[in-house]
Structure formats: C-alpha cells, structure tokens
C-alpha cells in the first residue's frame, strides 16, 4: 500500500469516487448510500479502480519486480479498493447526519454498484496491464476498454426498448430516475454472479499465462502448458453462456425477448401494439380503434406523421414492465425508434395518445434522438419535449390544461411561469410543469401556427420562430 501512495495514478483514480460521493453528500436526495449515490459513484469507482490496478502492474514491471500472480492480485486489488471504500465512508457519514431511508437496501445497492464495478474493473485492468507493454499504455488501454463498455451501453439504450443497463465495470442504471420503486432485486444477485464467473475465468487464464519474470502474459506458455487451454476454453464458454442467458436473467432486453413474454399482437394500418396474450378480442378491437383515432388527431396537430408504423409495447403490470425494460409505472417513448412502452389499459387509455405524440414529434426533432434542445437534441429541452406532447394530447375532462395551469399559478404552486424552462422544469411539484408547458405550447400554436412551433422545436431561436421574446410570451 505504501508503494501505491507514491503513484499519481493512485491518487487520481482513488479521488474519482470520493469526489462523486462528496458531490452526492451535498444533495439531500443522494446524500446517503442508495440508488442515486450508487448511480453517480459507480462509473467513477469503476474507471478509477481500473486506473489504479493498471498502474500497480505497470509500476511493478518498470521497477523490475517479479511478484507471483497471487501477490500481484492482492496488491492491485488492495490499492484499487481504497477509493470506493473512502467514498462509502463519506456517504455513510452523510447518511448518519441526514438519516438513512433503508440502510440495508442502500448499502446493498452500493455493494452491487460502486464496489462491484471497482472489483470487476480492477481485475480486468490487471489482465490488460499484463497484456500491454509500457508504463502509461496499460492505463490508456484500460480507459479505452471502459469507453468501449460505455459505448455498448449506449448502443443497447439506442437500439432496443430497454431503458436499464447492467454494466459490469461502470455499474447499474435502473431506468428513469423519477421511478420510485428502485431497490435491490433478485437480478442484482444474478448480475454480480455473472460478473464473478467472467472475472474468475479471465483471471484463471491470466494466471496460466503469467510470466512473473517479465510481468507479462506469455502466449507461448499455452503451447508448452496444456493446462493453459483449460481456462481459455472455460472463459469462452462462460462469456458465451452468460451473454446468451442475460435476457432470461433480466440483465438485457431485446424486441424478441419482450415479444416472447407478451406473446400478443394487434396491428392496424399505422400502429403495432404488442400486448399480453390474455387480452380478449373485443379489447383488441377497441384499443386498435383508439390507436387509429389518436393517429388521425395527432396527424392533424403536427401536420405530419411517422413514415412507418409505430410500435407500442403494453405490459400486464408496472412490475412486469420494470422487469423487462427497466421502467414502471412511468411510460417511456423512444422517438428515434418509433417505439413506446406502457402498461396495458382498456380504452380510453390514460397515456397512449401522449406517448404517441412523442413519436410524432420525432418528425419535428433533430439529432440522434429526434428531440428538441441543445447539441442537436442530445441535451433535450423538457419544456418543448413534454409541452408539445401535452398540447397534442389536449384533454378537457374534467377541465383542460389551460384551466388547470391557471389554477396552479393562482394557487402559488408555481410563482413564475417562466421557471419551467430548462432544468427549472424539474423544480416544480407534481405535474405542474407539464400543465404549464402544455398550455404554453398550445397558446403558441393558436397564436402563431404549427409551422412556427415546428421551427422552434427543430432548433430555431424563440425570437426567430415567433417574433417575440420567450419570457414576455
């Protein structure tokens, strides 16, 4: 451990999770061990621990040391654990001051997230450092590996209906952060069980190929030591088997895996509804008719429509939806895919038109997510994103959003209507920001027309689109 303290990489890598924990401690919602703090600290702990472990191997090699494999593992894992443990202490102290919500659940989520990510990253970084020569190159190689893992996560979120991510090196993202039912689940045990299987077989292979004199992996040893093939074959089998098993274990989702569970489908001219097989014939016809009516109304509102059929996944319950895609009861739309997930509901469905409006708005959006906001919609503007959907799903029962928005303002729930812009959208109680944003978008459409609203949604400045300042409007 004293050798670690002399390495700048140790202090940088260890500081990352501690900084994340300190930032969480300053926020009431995240100032204790729990999902929110684990979400922030886990990727920092994984990245930092990998940097520390890779540097331990590289420094030992540069110093001409020749420890055996077990001693090297002990030293690298010990140094890599310092940052996550210090982060846990910071959050525990903060939690003791603020009060714990559910200590068992909170510490368990920290173990699954930051601690698990740190150990998986450290073990993998050790192998990378043994495979890559030099002193700085192993750290760069580890960072590249972590970036590739993050890219895989992004690909899953971009290309499939799932909104959760189980990343062995960067932690667990449970889906929309406003879902309240986020806690320890059985699949977390499967998640870290898979991590353990993969890491154990990887380290077994590295042990068989380890050359202590050079602190490198010697591929020639596989030719002279037949037993080296055993962990290699075990690693290949473990990687393939656990990857194929991930959907069944709830660690990954795909369109095919969701369809196998729901097993029912109703198609109309414009909409594909995937639903539980138990839905009756009359219910199918009613939901299909409602979907087509919504399509017609939304096409009139937007002045355009999606090019191809849209897909709506309707789950039997919020629990089933959460298990399969990572959100529940909150419905989620992915405009760039033309897909939305929600729970089943008999007509009139409470949120189907709103979620379909998000899919229609993709025709107005830009960037990879087809959404409004900065950086080509990557930093989405919730005022526009949700305001347009509420305005398109205009409901007058019992009173329309204009009347509700006026009541919210007069009651003092929202003192400044202009505060719903930007991140201020999330600072108001309940659905107040949704009501105000929808009423505002509807007002702009009535005063300036759909084309002006479309220009604003597509990236034009407010003044450019409407000829007046946003705050005054």
């Amino acid at each position: 451990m004293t050798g670690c303290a002399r390495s700048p990489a140790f202090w940088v890598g260890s500081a990352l999770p501690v900084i994340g924990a300190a930032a969480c401690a300053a926020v009431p919602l995240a100032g204790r061990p729990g999902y929110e703090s684990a979400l922030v600290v886990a990727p920092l702990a994984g990245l930092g621990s990998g940097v520390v472990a890779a540097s331990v191997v590289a420094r030992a090699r540069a110093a001409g040391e020749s420890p055996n494999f077990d001693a090297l593992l002990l030293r690298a894992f010990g140094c890599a654990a310092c940052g996550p443990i210090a982060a846990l202490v910071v959050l525990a102290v903060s939690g003791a001051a603020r009060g714990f919500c559910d200590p068992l659940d909170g510490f368990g989520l920290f173990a699954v997230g930051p601690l698990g990510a740190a150990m998986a990253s450290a073990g993998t970084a050790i192998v990378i450092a043994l495979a890559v020569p030099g002193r700085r190159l192993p750290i760069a190689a580890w960072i590249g590996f972590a970036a590739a893992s993050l890219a895989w996560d992004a690909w899953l979120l971009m290309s499939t209906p799932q909104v959760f991510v189980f990343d062995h090196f960067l932690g667990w993202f449970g889906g929309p952060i406003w879902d309240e039912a986020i806690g320890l689940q059985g699949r977390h045990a499967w998640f870290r069980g898979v991590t353990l299987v993969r890491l154990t077989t990887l380290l077994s292979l590295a042990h068989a190929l380890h050359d202590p004199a050079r602190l490198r992996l010697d591929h020639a040893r596989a030719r002279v030591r037949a037993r080296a093939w055993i962990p290699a074959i075990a690693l290949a089998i473990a990687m393939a088997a656990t990857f194929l098993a991930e959907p069944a274990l709830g660690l990954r989702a795909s369109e095919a895996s969701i369809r196998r569970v729901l097993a029912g489908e109703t198609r109309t001219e414009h909409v594909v509804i995937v639903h539980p097989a138990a839905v009756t014939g009359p219910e199918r016809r009613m939901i299909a008719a409602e979907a087509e009516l919504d399509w017609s109304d939304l096409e009139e509102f937007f002045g355009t429509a999606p090019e191809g059929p849209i897909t709506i996944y309707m789950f039997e319950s919020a629990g089933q939806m959460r298990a399969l895609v990572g959100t529940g009861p909150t419905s989620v739309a992915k405009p760039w895919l033309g897909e939305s997930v929600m729970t089943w509901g008999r007509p009139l469905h409470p949120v189907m038109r709103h979620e379909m409006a998000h899919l229609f708005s993709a025709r107005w959006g830009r960037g990879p997510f087809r959404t409004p906001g900065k950086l080509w919609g990557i930093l989405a503007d919730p005022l526009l994103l949700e305001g347009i959907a509420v305005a398109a799903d205009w409901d007058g029962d019992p009173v329309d959003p204009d009347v509700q928005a006026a009541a919210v303002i007069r009651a003092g729930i929202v003192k400044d209507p202009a505060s719903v812009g930007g991140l201020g959208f999330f600072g108001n109680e309940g659905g107040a920001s949704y009501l105000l944003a929808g009423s505002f978008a509807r007002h702009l459409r009535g005063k300036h027309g759909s084309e002006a609203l479309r220009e604003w949604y597509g990236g034009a400045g407010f003044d450019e689109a409407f000829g007046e300042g946003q705050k005054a409007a």
Side-chain angles (χ1 to χ4, degrees), residues 138-159:
I139 296 176
W142 157 249
I143 293 174
F145 180 88
S149 183
L150 183 62
W152 170 250
D153 299 339
W155 170 252
L156 289 176
L157 294 174
M158 285 284 292
S159 63

Side-chain angles (χ1 to χ4, degrees), residues 15-27 30-32 37 40-41 44 83-84 86-92 94 110:
L16 288 177
V18 176
I19 291 171
C24 289
V27 179
R32 59 187 62 81
S37 59
V40 173
V41 176
L44 299 174
L88 179 59
V89 171
V90 170
L91 289 170
S94 175
F110 193 92

Side-chain angles (χ1 to χ4, degrees), residues 265-285:
E265 180 180 291
T266 297
R267 287 180 175 266
T268 72
E269 182 182 356
H270 302 108
V271 183
V272 178
I273 304 173
V274 183
H275 52 72
V279 174
T280 64
E283 289 174 329
R284 293 186 184 198
R285 290 190 290 272

